Structure formats: C-alpha cells, structure tokens
Amino acid sequence: MAGIPQSIFRWAVPGALAISFAQASMYDVKGGTRAVIFDRVSGVKEQVVNEGTHFLVPWLQKAIVYDVRTRPRNISTTTGSKDLQMVTLTLRVLHRPEVQQLPKIYQQNLGLDYDERVLPSIGNEVLKAIVAQFDAAELITQREAVSNRIRNDLLKRAGEFNIALEDVSITHMTFGKEFTRAVEEKQIAQQEAERARFIVEKAEQERQANVIRAEGEAEAADTISKAVAKSGDGLIMIRRIETQKDIAQLLARNPNISYLPNGGAGGEGKSGGSFLLGLRS
C-alpha cells in the first residue's frame, strides 16, 4: 500500500505534462473563420487553414484566426464640393477579407482589426476626391453616377489591401445650412411660378369658353331671327303653344288647384278654350 502513492505520483506528472502538451497542440477553426499559422522559424505559412480541429507545434507555431464573414461598416466624412459647398456623406460598406490573401494581410501588420485600420482611411480619401469633382446640385441630381464613381474607386483601393467589398452605397447626404436654405427658396419660387402659370391658363380657358358661348348664342339668335322672318308669326305661335302646354302640365300635377270652365252666368253660349283657375278650400 505504501508503494501505490509513489507510483501514482511518478506517472501523474508526465501524464499532466502530456495532457497539457496535447491541449496546446490542438486548435479549432470555427464556422465563418479561417486561420493563418505563424512559425517562429519559417515565418507566416502561405496555406490558409479551413474550418475544423487542427494540430500545431506548441511555442514554435501560433494560429491566428480571422473572421471571414461579410460585415457592415459605416464611413462618414465632411468635405467640400466643386462649388465650395460643405457636404456630409455617409457610406455603408459590406466587406470581408480575401480568404486566400489572409497570410498577406497578417504580414502587412494590419492585425485582426484590419477593417478599422484600412476602411476609414481609404473611404475618406475616395469620398473627398470624388465629391470635389461635382457641384452641390450635381451631387443631388447625379447621385447614382456619384455612387458608382465612389464604388469603383473604393473597390480598387480596398483591393490593394486584399479586402473585398460586397456593396457600397450612400445612405446619407446633407449640405450646409446656406445651401439648404437656397434650395428651399428655389423650390418655393418654382411652386409659386407653377401656381401663377396655372391661374393664367385657367383664365385663358375661361375666356375662350366665354367667347365660344357668346358665338353660339349669337349664331342661335341669328338662326331664330331668320326663321321668324321666313315664317312670319308661325314660329312665335308654336313657341307660345309649347309654353302654355308646359304650364298646364305643371298646374295639373298640383292637387291644390282646380279648373273651372269659362262661362257660368256670363259665359253661356261662348265657345272657346279658356278656363278660370281657382284654389280648392
């Protein structure tokens, strides 16, 4: 029994060292990441390690794990346009490292936060260079062209640092107070000019309508005059009969009105079609 603790102690130390060495020799590369191996003797290895569990030589080698998933980043800058108007631009950039170029990214001493070291710098550089080529008004009217220019130039600059850009878009664009006030005043003036033009067009249309109406009435009056001159009193009598007929139909529909034939005591023996009208009690 006395020899058992000594044997356990004799094997425990080497076993613990072996376990520690085995743990130090293993490393995991999780999903969405890649690893670069730095060797103290040969330097950075060119091979990129994929996902999974891998082995290395402790102390002699070290694994540097990079996140290779696409991530967003906002880049903002305030600069002057071609006509010296101050413009504030914000870009939204979706970026990731070039997986096969991870050893070069590590050799350039950019570190794991390569995007924080590179993107703000080249983003401000490209934005200032592009905005300076356009007037403030052109930045508004030609926003798509400006965005394309920024995207193309930023892709080239990011490629020099082995960074891939999935998307580049302008999310915000604001101008100085003076330019904004000038734009608002211009819009108000344009709206007032449109309103005045509408009023003028409406008055002209009403004038033309009155002219056409007057011409129609004059033509109708001329036609009636010619018809009267041609037929004598016949047309007037026809119009009079039509008017009396309309009045009779209107009175016939009224229940409070009664019709009495013309005559009575003094009307006997007279022929005719006149009537006396009386209200019912």
Side-chain angles (χ1 to χ4, degrees), residues 12-151:
V13 174
L17 292 175
I19 293 174
S20 177
F21 182 82
Q23 290 178 344
S25 301
M26 299 174 61
Y27 67 97
D28 292 331
V29 180
K30 298 180 180 180
T33 62
R34 297 292 187 275
V36 174
I37 301 299
F38 172 73
D39 192 294
R40 295 180 182 272
V41 177
S42 59
V44 180
K45 294 183 176 296
E46 296 183 357
Q47 182 181 4
V48 177
V49 182
N50 293 324
E51 301 170 358
T53 300
H54 305 274
F55 296 91
L56 50 72
V57 179
W59 185 85
L60 186 63
Q61 295 179 334
K62 180 177 68 172
I64 300 93
V65 180
Y66 280 88
D67 188 346
V68 297
R69 293 171 295 184
T70 300
R71 293 181 294 175
R73 185 176 186 85
N74 292 331
I75 303 174
S76 299
T77 189
T78 300
T79 184
S81 62
K82 187 177 180 180
D83 54 349
L84 303 181
Q85 296 293 337
M86 297 307 297
V87 185
T88 300
L89 283 175
T90 300
L91 289 181
R92 185 176 186 272
V93 179
L94 297 179
H95 69 280
R96 61 175 177 79
E98 293 283 1
V99 175
Q100 299 304 321
Q101 303 300 325
L102 287 176
K104 292 184 178 180
I105 294 177
Y106 184 75
Q107 288 174 339
Q108 291 173 343
N109 293 324
L110 297 180
L112 298 178
D113 56 347
Y114 63 93
D115 54 337
E116 296 182 2
R117 296 171 180 265
V118 175
L119 290 179
S121 176
I122 64 175
N124 279 274
E125 173 190 337
V126 170
L127 285 174
K128 292 179 183 295
I130 298 299
V131 170
Q133 301 177 23
F134 293 88
D135 294 338
E138 293 175 343
L139 292 174
I140 299 175
T141 58
Q142 303 180 26
R143 179 165 178 164
E144 185 175 356
V146 174
S147 180
N148 290 334
R149 288 281 300 276
I150 293 174
R151 182 184 300 107

Side-chain angles (χ1 to χ4, degrees), residues 185-200:
E185 292 176 353
K186 182 179 179 180
Q187 291 178 344
I188 293 173
Q190 290 177 346
Q191 292 175 356
E192 291 179 350
E194 290 290 337
R195 187 181 298 108
R197 182 162 52 251
F198 172 76
I199 293 173
V200 171

Side-chain angles (χ1 to χ4, degrees), residues 209-262:
N210 291 332
V211 171
I212 294 173
R213 188 181 302 109
E215 291 177 350
E217 292 176 354
E219 184 177 354
D222 183 63
T223 303
I224 293 173
S225 298
K226 291 180 180 179
V228 171
K230 184 177 180 180
S231 62
D233 296 336
L235 180 61
I236 297 176
M237 293 299 297
I238 293 174
R239 292 294 177 86
R240 184 179 298 171
I241 293 172
E242 291 177 350
T243 303
Q244 292 176 352
K245 181 180 178 181
D246 293 338
I247 295 174
Q249 291 178 350
L250 177 64
L251 296 175
R253 288 194 295 267
N254 194 328
N256 294 325
I257 298 176
S258 62
Y259 300 89
L260 297 175
N262 187 15

